[in-house]
Amino acid sequence: MEREILWSPSEERSKNSALAKYMAWLRKHYSLEFATYPELWEWSTNDLELFWETIWLYFDLRSSKPYSKILSKREMPGAEWFIDCELNYVEQLLRAKETNPHKTAIVSHSETLGNMSLTWLELFQQVASVADHFKKLGLKKGDRVAAVLPNTPAALIAFLATASLGGIWSICAPDMGHVAILDRFKQIKPKILIAQDGYIYAGKTIDRREILNTIIKGLPSLKKKIILPVIGPLPEGTLSWDNLLNQKVDLTPVQVPFDHPLWIVYSSGTTGNPKPIVHGHGGILVVAAAQSLNMDLSHLDRFAWLTSSGWIMWNAQWIALSQGATVVMFDFAPNHPDMLEV
């Protein structure tokens, strides 16, 4: 049976794709010629050191301390990448602020909070402000920050502020039950918790204050609680998220080793407790750069991945930011009031 091809790119689009440009760069600088994508893929999986070094160089990734070697040994577990390198993921992710400060970085559509956008400069300034507050709250390299937030700019800003200090980020979606959240966060002993006390979904207001209190009581490691109030007044003993945003300060990200933990995500929990999975600053940077080739991303694009903050796709959105693209964030019921009216 002959299969119908539903879509294929035009010759012009193919020649101007991100992957085609990378292949042309390989041809010019390394005399590497690949007739097909499978040939390129085969090379990338066999010549590991050269492939990942070309990704580093092609995307102009930067570090405060250069790497001395790409790969320590081909052994799993035990492989170490970009030996001696020191950098910070946030420094790379916000680089578009230097070249396009007034270009839109984030567009957000939220049923709870309304619609908003942030330029690269505004995003940078808010991250700097929150990072400065976190530092004054005692957040240090290696400390964990946990969040119960939807897919909105507040979650991104808090994540980048955490990572800029060498802290380790972890997030759960507000619609998750308290048992599922505590099964994850109790394992990592967070120092700071950031949460939204409720949300609106499909026209219904969901009050999460009681569940949030249960989560806080179940995390004895917490030193500070930060609340983004939607349902009611700020609880006693908590800080307001909005008060963290307006300080005019600079941002100097803490330099960390290539494999320093960036965030903690989790397995589904279907076979016992969810298993924490740690990704590092440098690893996420180089993999995101490589993945942007397959996603055909550039600074000219707008990128949307319909996801909750409880899925790994929440983290994957930032591949687009790493290329200077605009990310469109959604926080609403896509089928309300009608799929055709969204």
Side-chain angles (χ1 to χ4, degrees):
M1 179 179 174
E2 187 175 344
R3 296 179 181 179
E4 179 186 0
I5 297 175
L6 298 179
W7 179 87
S8 60
S10 66
E11 184 176 350
E12 182 182 1
R13 179 165 181 176
S14 294
K15 287 181 178 179
N16 288 293
S17 68
L19 191 61
K21 291 175 181 177
Y22 169 66
M23 293 171 71
W25 183 86
L26 288 176
R27 188 162 52 247
K28 177 180 179 181
H29 294 277
Y30 290 87
S31 299
L32 290 169
E33 185 80 45
F34 304 103
T36 65
Y37 178 82
E39 285 183 18
L40 173 65
W41 180 87
E42 190 72 25
W43 166 72
S44 74
T45 58
N46 288 321
D47 198 343
L48 293 176
E49 290 90 337
L50 181 57
F51 169 68
W52 288 110
E53 185 165 40
T54 65
I55 292 295
W56 182 279
L57 296 173
Y58 180 74
F59 286 97
D60 188 28
L61 301 181
R62 302 172 189 176
S63 60
S64 58
K65 185 177 179 182
Y67 56 84
S68 58
K69 190 177 182 181
I70 298 295
L71 178 61
S72 60
K73 51 188 174 183
R74 293 195 181 200
E75 188 175 290
M76 287 294 289
E80 295 178 1
W81 293 87
F82 291 84
I83 311 304
D84 298 323
C85 177
E86 290 188 2
L87 41 62
N88 190 289
Y89 170 88
V90 177
E91 206 162 36
Q92 305 286 329
L93 204 73
L94 296 179
R95 275 170 58 178
K97 172 253 182 183
E98 302 300 328
T99 53
N100 292 299
H102 303 298
K103 178 180 179 285
T104 301
I106 295 292
V107 174
S108 175
H109 297 278
S110 171
E111 193 174 349
T112 307
L113 304 174
N115 301 334
M116 66 171 293
S117 64
L118 291 171
T119 66
W120 283 99
L121 179 59
E122 290 167 337
L123 177 61
F124 179 88
Q125 290 171 336
Q126 292 192 22
V127 170
S129 179
V130 174
D132 190 66
H133 280 287
F134 282 180
K135 188 175 181 179
K136 290 174 181 175
L137 292 175
L139 187 70
K140 297 182 177 64
K141 185 190 297 186
D143 289 339
R144 276 76 65 201
V145 174
V148 185
L149 293 169
N151 183 32
T152 56
L156 170 63
I157 292 162
F159 155 54
L160 293 177
T162 299
S164 74
L165 297 174
I168 306 168
W169 172 259
S170 194
I171 188 169
C172 285
D175 59 350
M176 294 171 64
H178 68 276
V179 173
I181 292 174
L182 285 173
D183 281 349
R184 288 158 171 78
F185 288 166
K186 280 195 297 186
Q187 298 185 68
I188 68 171
K189 298 179 173 62
K191 189 172 188 176
I192 294 176
L193 176 71
I194 310 168
Q196 195 167 293
D197 68 358
Y199 58 92
I200 300 172
Y201 189 81
K204 298 178 182 179
T205 299
I206 312 297
D207 188 338
R208 296 282 291 181
R209 288 176 293 182
E210 186 175 341
I211 289 175
L212 190 54
N213 285 336
T214 301
I215 293 169
I216 290 172
K217 289 176 182 176
L219 296 172
S221 61
L222 290 178
K223 302 298 182 185
K224 300 293 179 182
K225 285 83 69 178
I226 300 167
I227 302 296
L228 200 161
V230 171
I231 303 298
L234 200 67
E236 186 176 350
T238 62
L239 302 173
S240 171
W241 168 256
D242 288 343
N243 290 342
L244 307 184
L245 297 175
N246 299 317
Q247 190 163 297
K248 301 295 183 183
V249 292
D250 198 10
L251 179 68
T252 305
V254 172
Q255 300 301 295
V256 297
F258 185 87
D259 60 358
H260 182 78
L262 174 65
W263 58 50
I264 302 171
V265 294
Y266 304 88
S267 66
S268 64
T270 53
T271 57
N273 270 354
K275 311 302 187 293
I277 303 164
V278 181
H279 294 158
H281 279 242
I284 288 298
L285 273 176
V286 295
V287 168
Q291 186 61 30
S292 74
L293 296 174
N294 283 327
M295 298 167 78
D296 196 24
L297 284 168
S298 79
H299 69 282
L300 300 174
D301 293 316
R302 286 198 169 204
F303 178 84
W305 205 328
L306 191 61
T307 178
S308 88
S309 52
W311 291 355
I312 189 64
M313 289 79 77
W314 183 86
N315 308 68
Q317 293 176 103
W318 318 134
I319 294 172
L321 280 189
S322 74
Q323 301 309 307
T326 299
V327 170
V328 182
M329 306 174 74
F330 292 103
D331 170 40
F332 58 73
N335 61 345
H336 176 79
D338 186 281
M339 186 69 80
L340 298 178
E341 295 182 19
V342 173

